Amino acid sequence: MVQTEKLYEGKAKILYSTADPQILLTVYKDDATAFNAQKKGQIKGKGEINCTIAAALFQFLEKAGIPTHYIDCPQKNQMRVKAVTIIPLEVVVRNIAAGSLCRQTGLPEGQILPKPLVEYYLKDDALGDPLLTRDRLLLLNLASPEQLATIEEITLKINQQLQEFFKLCQITLVDFKLEFGFDSQQQILLADEISPDTCRLWDSTETDPQARVMDKDRFRKDLGQVESAYQTVQQRVLAAISNLSTINSD
Ligand code: UDP
């Protein structure tokens, strides 16, 4: 794969241009950060694992009719993606109370929400990714009301699909973060990644509140066994994809 110019280095990925201006190359790193990069470390093998999981989930979602930026993976930690203009929004979906929702509202961790909660945060590290109201989002011209309606509709569809998928993996999808971008035709595509770095995933075969954690909270909270948790998510995701393709080809 010919990497040309390094366009951007983020906390978990590096973005390169390619010979084709419509295609970018994303290289997933082992670097891990938390609390707005105040905590830094490495999770061995994370680059390959997250890229593999994200690729599997993007392909699964494409089959369910959700347009994504995914093209293919030339190597285990590399993903070719369609070039998009990223909307500077972190779209968070919550099915169960955890993390900042508990800290900011007092809801107990683990409380099942009556319906999925969709939240918008401004993607701006300098401002600490603040929670936005709908009116603030529109005030900042981050999306038009119609585009926002499309984003919410796609987001809820993704949540439904991923909840069902992770059930097959004996994993509870607690919450997750999505990013979207506009392609050259102004179509909204799911972009960035979906991985244990960007989701809260609880092992549904475990009841212990620490033992069940299979995502970046193991790193954030120093729970140990971070690598093995990520590996288990990868194994279960790939097994579920393989079962689904066997069922579909029968
Ligand atoms: N999340 C993310 N990137 C961010 C912020 C949040 O991927 O910059 C994910 C996080 O992993 C979790 C969900 O979004 O799955 C909700 O995160 P929350 O607002 O609870 O923040 P936290 O408790 O992680 O500070």
Side-chain angles (χ1 to χ4, degrees):
M1 184 74 220
V2 185
Q3 293 172 6
T4 48
E5 194 191 345
K6 188 198 235 187
L7 298 176
Y8 173 78
E9 176 151 7
K11 285 172 270 190
K13 297 187 287 296
I14 308 175
L15 196 63
Y16 294 93
S17 62
T18 69
D20 182 341
Q22 305 276 11
I23 298 176
L24 301 177
L25 181 76
T26 314
V27 178
Y28 283 64
K29 304 193 286 185
D30 287 356
D31 296 351
T33 63
F35 314 118
N36 204 5
Q38 288 173 52
K39 176 173 176 157
K40 289 186 182 153
Q42 286 234 323
I43 301 173
K44 205 168 155 281
K46 177 171 85 75
E48 289 193 1
I49 291 173
N50 279 4
C51 185
T52 304
I53 292 171
L57 296 177
F58 281 141
Q59 290 174 85
F60 169 78
L61 291 172
E62 284 275 358
K63 281 200 186 124
I66 291 149
T68 81
H69 71 158
Y70 175 79
I71 301 175
D72 59 15
C73 291
Q75 289 191 32
K76 279 187 180 168
N77 68 333
Q78 296 186 0
M79 189 184 291
R80 294 197 315 143
V81 297
K82 294 172 198 155
V84 294
T85 307
I86 291 283
I87 306 169
L89 275 182
E90 301 200 336
V91 182
V92 168
V93 188
R94 303 178 188 273
N95 298 307
I96 294 178
S100 69
L101 180 64
C102 298
R103 291 196 301 275
Q104 293 171 4
T105 65
L107 277 175
E109 185 182 74
Q111 181 155 319
I112 297 169
L113 305 182
K115 64 182 177 103
L117 178 66
V118 179
E119 298 177 328
Y120 299 96
Y121 293 81
L122 180 64
K123 198 169 141 63
D124 186 324
D125 285 340
L127 294 176
D129 296 345
L131 178 62
L132 292 174
T133 61
R134 177 187 156 81
D135 284 348
R136 283 189 184 186
L137 190 161
L138 296 175
L139 174 75
L140 295 175
N141 282 321
L142 297 171
S144 68
E146 296 73 27
Q147 287 165 342
L148 193 56
T150 305
I151 289 171
E152 182 160 334
E153 190 190 324
I154 303 174
T155 296
L156 289 170
K157 193 169 169 194
I158 292 170
N159 183 44
Q160 199 187 359
Q161 290 292 329
L162 288 184
Q163 268 191 307
E164 282 173 26
F165 177 80
F166 278 113
K167 221 178 257 174
L168 302 173
C169 306
Q170 296 189 293
I171 290 173
T172 305
L173 179 60
V174 174
D175 59 31
F176 58 100
K177 184 262 302 180
L178 300 174
E179 292 183 29
F180 293 92
F182 294 112
D183 70 6
S184 49
Q185 276 95 52
Q186 290 299 103
Q187 199 203 351
I188 295 173
L189 302 187
L190 175 64
D192 194 52
E193 68 179 277
I194 308 175
S195 73
D197 270 12
T198 64
C199 302
R200 281 199 172 90
L201 304 169
W202 290 353
D203 188 339
S204 56
T205 70
E206 290 278 356
T207 47
D208 180 83
Q210 293 199 353
R212 69 186 175 190
V213 175
M214 306 180 84
D215 54 67
K216 203 163 93 174
D217 273 350
R218 296 209 77 83
F219 170 78
R220 291 189 188 100
K221 298 180 179 174
D222 291 320
L223 299 179
Q225 296 177 312
V226 187
E227 284 87 0
S228 64
Y230 275 59
Q231 282 161 9
T232 306
V233 174
Q234 173 175 255
Q235 281 159 10
R236 292 197 199 176
V237 164
L238 294 182
I241 292 280
S242 151
N243 284 341
L244 282 176
S245 56
T246 313
I247 294 164
N248 290 340
S249 64
D250 280 349

